[in-house]
Amino acid sequence: MTNLLTINKLDVQFPTRHGTTYAVQDVNLELQAGEVLGLVGESGAGKSTIGNAIINLLEPPGQVTGGEILFQGRNLRDLSDEQMRDVRGKKIGMIFQDPQTSLNPLITIGAQLVETIIKATDLTGSAAVDKAVDLLKSVGITETETRLNAYPHQFSGGMRQRVVIALALAGDPDLIIADEPTTALDVSIQAQILDLIKSLCRERQLGVIIVTHDIGVIANIADRVAVMYNGAVVETGEVRQILTAPTHEYTQSLIAAVPRGDLKVDRFTSVDYIEGGAQTHRRIDLDSHWLGETVQANPLGEAITIDGLNKTFVLKKALFKKNRVTLQAVDNVSLSIQAGESFGLVGESGSGKSTVARLVAGLHQGDDGHIKIFGQNVARQERSNDVTAARRNLQMIFQDPYSSLNARMRVLDIVAEPIRFYKTADSEKKVRQIVCDILDHVGLGSGAMLKYPHEFSGGQRQRISIARALASRPKILICDEPTSALDVSVQAHILNLLKDLQAELGLTMLFISHDLPVIRQMCDRVAVMRHGAICEIAQTETLFDTPQHAYSQHLLDLMPRMDLFGSAPASLAGPP
Amino acid sequence: MAEPTTQSRWQRFLDNDVTWSFLHTPSAIVAACVTVIAVSAALAAPWIAPYDPFDPSQISLWDGKLPPAWVEGGSSAYLLGTDNQGRDMLSTILYGGRLSIVVGFVAVFLGMLLGVTLGVISGYLGGKVDAIIMRFADVQLTIPGILLAILINGIGRAILPIDMRDDFAIYVVIIAIGLTDWPQFARVARGATMVEAQKEYVQSARVIGLPGWLIMIRHILPNTLRPILVIATIGLALAVIAEATLSFLGQGIPPTTPSLGTLIRVGNEYLFSGLWWITLFPGIALVVLVFAVNLLGDWMRDALNPKLR
Amino acid sequence: MAAVSAISFSLFNFVGDPVNNMVGQDATREQRVEIRQQLGLDDPVLTQYTRFIGNVLQGDFGLSYRIKRPVSTLILERLPATLELVFVSALIALVVGIGLGVYTGIKRDTWVSRIVMAVSLIGVSLPTFIIGIALIYLFAVHLRWLPSSGRSGTIDLGFWKTSLLSVDGWRAIVLPAITLSLFQLTMILRLVRAEMLEVMRADYIKFARARGLAERTIYFVHALRNTLVPVITVIGLNIGGLIAYSVITETVFQWPGTGLMFIQAVDFVDVPIMAAYLIFVALLFVVINLIVDILYFVVDPRIRLGGS
């Protein structure tokens, strides 16, 4: 059986004035019809580049500089622009990550479908419209008549991605390249879309290349997988085999580093292949260190108490109340966190977990309800000294490492800001000393002081954020999805760091995440949120073993099970 | 994991994408040179001009209306000819250029100060303050720029007693143009502020407990400078044009201490009698200046645009 | 609008002494007092303001200080001249501006594009009056093809005197129209081009390419539509700018429109005309903004139909 697609010794380069980047080096791949090939790797591995190279849509100045791409016997690199355009759409279809930006917002989806059909097939007029309707049905969209005349913004994210898939299928292609098709979607929708892709693949005997950084996705629908690192393929094979018994060191570390959802371990396994050796955490002498000065005074009892918290956002203002569009982000939330405890808040996007965190931190004002920090009511944004003092005990770490640091300030100034502002050190020299210490402590080294944020990687920036948070000597640390934007290999280090700091300094931690396995490893107790309300609060182990609420069960079902791949969860309707 | 390298400040400046783009865009270099030369020549006018055209004792009506030196009838004492009052064209252009540039700069600076302050405050605080400030800006934008400048200028002059009008004309012009400019700056500053305020480093500063004004000055302002700089450069060109237009219409700088615009107005009356040089040379000077500034602004917009890499 | 009328009103009252302006220096005290009473200048400010508004709404702007005729008549007389000029200029600016903008956006690197871009930069740098003077000099003085000033060839249609229906009229309007349109034309050109380039980098364009759609389809169906929508507001404002710049053009060409009248009014501090002109222009702007808003509503489905 000849391959649908064979890639031999592919090289892709990006020449810039700083030097040439070798995005893809000497890559070999094969794909059969009816098979799903997963391309997995972390950011920068080159997996998306391969997809773009196949259909010749590389971002300039990228160029294919070597190798051949054999598709159905023809070398795609030999084709003219005109011929390549024919191939796209009719033979090869591509799906991108963000359905919102993939569709032209000003044209109805019906029109977009029809124009693609007309170009890719011989159909015209009403025959084309009929085909559009068929396509929509085949991707699971009902009410096709009304949908055809609708605009993209009137659909939800999952539906939009279905439309995108329909568009990609318009020309009856033989190969589909899916570039992170579910990354921008909610967990429950993800499963649906993946199922759709898989069933389409089997029904129409398509070849599918799915590019992703999420191993769970691979476990879900791929037959074979190629693991990429730094532009090269390090290992290929059957999914079952790779996941259970990987041979290459990188693959081994990668799989081991994915947080396990099935039992709690003490520390996250770090990906040593990249980071070069395990990082030992330097212990500090709490008695003499500046950071330790306030540890002695750690109060006991309830650190955070939330009672009946409500917050509604006005999405669209209008003169008349009935025309206003509002969103109940937080709905009568009550919980309490003990000092020294690690508390998790888990839920999908839109569940309100981040909003709760921001309300506690004082970035938003609640509509009503109490928030108490160490017994001090801070819900109203008064400027009283007690409130300010109570708030000083609290610091926050955010999700996006790229926007959480002021690009124009040096690391020294970023970390020193709270120290200088609150004058907790006597002299400028002492300030530098303290900053130096903290940077060492979070694993960055004092040489980082004079540099600017853009000189650091994502993981290192999060360390800087952590250092800045520590500089206020907080008793409570709120972590809002601190590792969601980081590669798996780096996640482990940051999470380990957080764990160590908590144990050492006796911090109370409020940990927000949508990632259940991470929650399991990090938190003692956890609250599950949905649509702004709390569904369940329990000890972590209890929640994972015997969840009480149906929604908690639902979330647990969606957790990728690497030991149970092969039996993907059944397509889901949400809980009642 | 690559080791981040330390670079000295100077190295970083040279390696900076913006600097590199500048050094590799010939038009930008040319524009910058022209601007620098023009500005320095104009500013140095008192030292390098052969005559002082604003000093009545140095003007003699006899020598009026002389053509440039290379045309028959001209004299080498007056390289570019003289105007109807006997002022040496070259000197007048230099002095006039100085006036135009000074007016342009100060007016833009005024507009920038007002606009950026209001814009950042408006963008950061949001809510009622934002609504009010933006309402002001919108109302002002309902009246087209030049018209407003003419109006403010007219009112300003009308308020002053007649004998003081000429002396204070320059200030009135500056205020008029500056007041016309600020909504543009405010809009841009507000937009940039709103983007920055959403970013997590600002939220972080708030959690640390820094007061609003400190956050605005230390964190937000430096990060809004890029787009503001672009608008300022273009604003400078527009301000110079505005001053010239006002003067041309008779509303701006009076003919006793003429700016480039006033000169052109004066020359216009003699254009059809064949005294072309009174209009042409100031005209060329004006266009070259504005063109250079625009070119610079254009390059700046492209170089500072993060999306264009 | 309210704010503008307030500004107008304060102009009216506080700038210079209206009585002085009206009767000149020689009037006796008694005459002045009498006129003050007639004009109601002794009444409280609020009453005067309400009266002012009332008058305005009825179209009565009072008498011009200098010309001693009702301002509203003056404006109406000269309005057709200005409106026709603005209309022709707008047409030129829109057609050529958008056309060239799209062209240079698509064919970025041809030498035609480069020339257009260079010329456009010059266009933005040339003050309107210099363009006017240059054109007059070239076409009227040197080549003697076109008249150098004034409006000619008017045909009276009753309430509207148009010059667009005669060859003479067209010959006279060509230069001023080109002068007026040049600045806006270049701005529109650069705007459209910039927006076009921005749009071409969007994801949906990439996806369209991935579906194998022809380049022509991509440009004219997808890119063009998405370019023009955000640009509508700015174009609307620019057209409004034409009204402002008409003041300059009319001065250079001695075109008998409202702009010229305004400048003369400012020269003589003829406050009623200034105030009235202000209100008129503001009104026009508000109308244009309204039209733009409606257009936006019609053209952008995201605004027309809410989200799901």
Side-chain angles (χ1 to χ4, degrees), chain A residues 467-490:
Chain A
R468 172 178 56 192
L470 288 182
S472 303
R473 290 194 292 204
K475 313 256 187 321
I476 307 173
L477 196 60
I478 304 182
C479 305
D480 190 355
E481 310 245 28
T483 52
S484 304
L486 301 175
D487 283 334
V488 162
S489 52
V490 181

Tab-separated table of all heavy atoms in Angstrom, chain A residues 467-490:
chain	number	residue	atom	x	y	z
A	467	ALA	N	9.402	35.981	42.188
A	467	ALA	CA	10.330	36.777	42.995
A	467	ALA	C	9.692	38.094	43.401
A	467	ALA	O	9.805	38.533	44.552
A	467	ALA	CB	11.613	37.030	42.202
A	468	ARG	N	9.014	38.729	42.446
A	468	ARG	CA	8.370	39.992	42.756
A	468	ARG	C	7.311	39.808	43.834
A	468	ARG	O	7.151	40.633	44.729
A	468	ARG	CB	7.738	40.583	41.499
A	468	ARG	CG	6.895	41.810	41.788
A	468	ARG	CD	6.311	42.416	40.538
A	468	ARG	NE	5.520	41.455	39.766
A	468	ARG	CZ	5.110	41.684	38.542
A	468	ARG	NH1	5.408	42.820	37.954
A	468	ARG	NH2	4.401	40.781	37.894
A	469	ALA	N	6.566	38.703	43.734
A	469	ALA	CA	5.542	38.457	44.746
A	469	ALA	C	6.177	38.264	46.119
A	469	ALA	O	5.704	38.789	47.120
A	469	ALA	CB	4.713	37.236	44.362
A	470	LEU	N	7.282	37.525	46.153
A	470	LEU	CA	7.935	37.274	47.427
A	470	LEU	C	8.462	38.550	48.052
A	470	LEU	O	8.556	38.664	49.274
A	470	LEU	CB	9.103	36.294	47.245
A	470	LEU	CG	8.726	34.851	46.978
A	470	LEU	CD1	9.990	34.009	46.872
A	470	LEU	CD2	7.846	34.323	48.089
A	471	ALA	N	8.800	39.525	47.200
A	471	ALA	CA	9.420	40.747	47.730
A	471	ALA	C	8.486	41.521	48.636
A	471	ALA	O	8.922	42.403	49.361
A	471	ALA	CB	9.890	41.627	46.571
A	472	SER	N	7.216	41.206	48.602
A	472	SER	CA	6.289	41.884	49.504
A	472	SER	C	6.139	41.116	50.808
A	472	SER	O	5.394	41.533	51.687
A	472	SER	CB	4.911	42.005	48.862
A	472	SER	OG	4.990	42.675	47.646
A	473	ARG	N	6.805	39.998	50.912
A	473	ARG	CA	6.701	39.109	52.077
A	473	ARG	C	5.257	38.813	52.426
A	473	ARG	O	4.774	39.121	53.501
A	473	ARG	CB	7.410	39.724	53.285
A	473	ARG	CG	8.912	39.725	53.095
A	473	ARG	CD	9.609	40.002	54.356
A	473	ARG	NE	9.402	41.369	54.811
A	473	ARG	CZ	10.242	42.004	55.617
A	473	ARG	NH1	11.357	41.406	56.017
A	473	ARG	NH2	9.982	43.211	56.005
A	474	PRO	N	4.565	38.226	51.471
A	474	PRO	CA	3.154	37.976	51.728
A	474	PRO	C	2.968	36.724	52.580
A	474	PRO	O	3.856	35.900	52.685
A	474	PRO	CB	2.601	37.743	50.322
A	474	PRO	CG	3.746	37.119	49.593
A	474	PRO	CD	5.005	37.709	50.165
A	475	LYS	N	1.772	36.639	53.180
A	475	LYS	CA	1.439	35.402	53.859
A	475	LYS	C	0.548	34.540	52.981
A	475	LYS	O	0.390	33.351	53.193
A	475	LYS	CB	0.680	35.708	55.156
A	475	LYS	CG	1.271	36.761	56.021
A	475	LYS	CD	1.952	36.128	57.213
A	475	LYS	CE	2.426	37.167	58.207
A	475	LYS	NZ	2.970	38.369	57.640
A	476	ILE	N	-0.109	35.201	52.028
A	476	ILE	CA	-1.034	34.493	51.146
A	476	ILE	C	-0.582	34.705	49.716
A	476	ILE	O	-0.259	35.818	49.310
A	476	ILE	CB	-2.464	35.043	51.287
A	476	ILE	CG1	-2.879	35.028	52.757
A	476	ILE	CG2	-3.428	34.262	50.441
A	476	ILE	CD1	-4.207	35.700	52.983
A	477	LEU	N	-0.584	33.638	48.951
A	477	LEU	CA	-0.182	33.738	47.549
A	477	LEU	C	-1.337	33.216	46.691
A	477	LEU	O	-1.775	32.076	46.874
A	477	LEU	CB	1.070	32.908	47.321
A	477	LEU	CG	1.853	33.183	46.042
A	477	LEU	CD1	2.316	34.618	46.018
A	477	LEU	CD2	3.037	32.246	45.966
A	478	ILE	N	-1.805	34.062	45.783
A	478	ILE	CA	-2.837	33.613	44.854
A	478	ILE	C	-2.158	33.304	43.529
A	478	ILE	O	-1.454	34.149	42.978
A	478	ILE	CB	-3.915	34.685	44.633
A	478	ILE	CG1	-4.534	35.095	45.967
A	478	ILE	CG2	-4.985	34.168	43.698
A	478	ILE	CD1	-5.635	36.113	45.815
A	479	CYS	N	-2.340	32.102	43.028
A	479	CYS	CA	-1.725	31.734	41.757
A	479	CYS	C	-2.823	31.504	40.730
A	479	CYS	O	-3.562	30.531	40.833
A	479	CYS	CB	-0.901	30.460	41.901
A	479	CYS	SG	0.329	30.567	43.193
A	480	ASP	N	-2.919	32.399	39.759
A	480	ASP	CA	-3.970	32.286	38.751
A	480	ASP	C	-3.422	31.617	37.508
A	480	ASP	O	-2.824	32.263	36.655
A	480	ASP	CB	-4.504	33.690	38.423
A	480	ASP	CG	-5.750	33.633	37.565
A	480	ASP	OD1	-6.148	32.527	37.154
A	480	ASP	OD2	-6.326	34.698	37.305
A	481	GLU	N	-3.630	30.327	37.394
A	481	GLU	CA	-3.159	29.548	36.243
A	481	GLU	C	-1.697	29.851	35.918
A	481	GLU	O	-1.374	30.192	34.785
A	481	GLU	CB	-4.010	29.872	35.006
A	481	GLU	CG	-5.492	29.793	35.229
A	481	GLU	CD	-6.140	28.696	34.426
A	481	GLU	OE1	-5.459	27.697	34.117
A	481	GLU	OE2	-7.325	28.820	34.128
A	482	PRO	N	-0.807	29.722	36.888
A	482	PRO	CA	0.563	30.187	36.673
A	482	PRO	C	1.334	29.405	35.636
A	482	PRO	O	2.333	29.875	35.135
A	482	PRO	CB	1.209	30.038	38.054
A	482	PRO	CG	0.427	28.970	38.716
A	482	PRO	CD	-0.956	29.078	38.200
A	483	THR	N	0.879	28.194	35.327
A	483	THR	CA	1.676	27.428	34.373
A	483	THR	C	0.914	27.084	33.115
A	483	THR	O	1.432	26.379	32.251
A	483	THR	CB	2.153	26.111	35.015
A	483	THR	OG1	1.022	25.440	35.552
A	483	THR	CG2	3.154	26.393	36.109
A	484	SER	N	-0.287	27.579	32.962
A	484	SER	CA	-1.092	27.190	31.804
A	484	SER	C	-0.482	27.646	30.494
A	484	SER	O	-0.707	27.050	29.458
A	484	SER	CB	-2.503	27.774	31.925
A	484	SER	OG	-3.080	27.362	33.127
A	485	ALA	N	0.285	28.722	30.540
A	485	ALA	CA	0.867	29.225	29.293
A	485	ALA	C	2.270	28.682	29.067
A	485	ALA	O	2.960	29.102	28.159
A	485	ALA	CB	0.897	30.745	29.316
A	486	LEU	N	2.703	27.762	29.895
A	486	LEU	CA	4.078	27.268	29.778
A	486	LEU	C	4.102	25.852	29.218
A	486	LEU	O	3.127	25.117	29.319
A	486	LEU	CB	4.754	27.252	31.153
A	486	LEU	CG	4.844	28.581	31.881
A	486	LEU	CD1	5.423	28.377	33.262
A	486	LEU	CD2	5.693	29.544	31.092
A	487	ASP	N	5.212	25.518	28.639
A	487	ASP	CA	5.396	24.157	28.156
A	487	ASP	C	5.427	23.164	29.308
A	487	ASP	O	5.818	23.508	30.425
A	487	ASP	CB	6.716	24.044	27.396
A	487	ASP	CG	6.601	24.625	26.012
A	487	ASP	OD1	5.487	24.639	25.482
A	487	ASP	OD2	7.625	25.052	25.485
A	488	VAL	N	5.058	21.958	28.996
A	488	VAL	CA	4.997	20.920	30.026
A	488	VAL	C	6.323	20.765	30.747
A	488	VAL	O	6.381	20.606	31.970
A	488	VAL	CB	4.582	19.578	29.386
A	488	VAL	CG1	4.928	18.424	30.295
A	488	VAL	CG2	3.104	19.572	29.099
A	489	SER	N	7.404	20.850	29.992
A	489	SER	CA	8.705	20.621	30.612
A	489	SER	C	9.025	21.675	31.656
A	489	SER	O	9.683	21.401	32.649
A	489	SER	CB	9.795	20.618	29.541
A	489	SER	OG	9.678	21.789	28.775
A	490	VAL	N	8.523	22.865	31.438
A	490	VAL	CA	8.846	23.940	32.373
A	490	VAL	C	7.865	23.972	33.531
A	490	VAL	O	8.202	24.377	34.643
A	490	VAL	CB	8.820	25.292	31.620
A	490	VAL	CG1	9.161	26.419	32.538
A	490	VAL	CG2	9.758	25.242	30.441
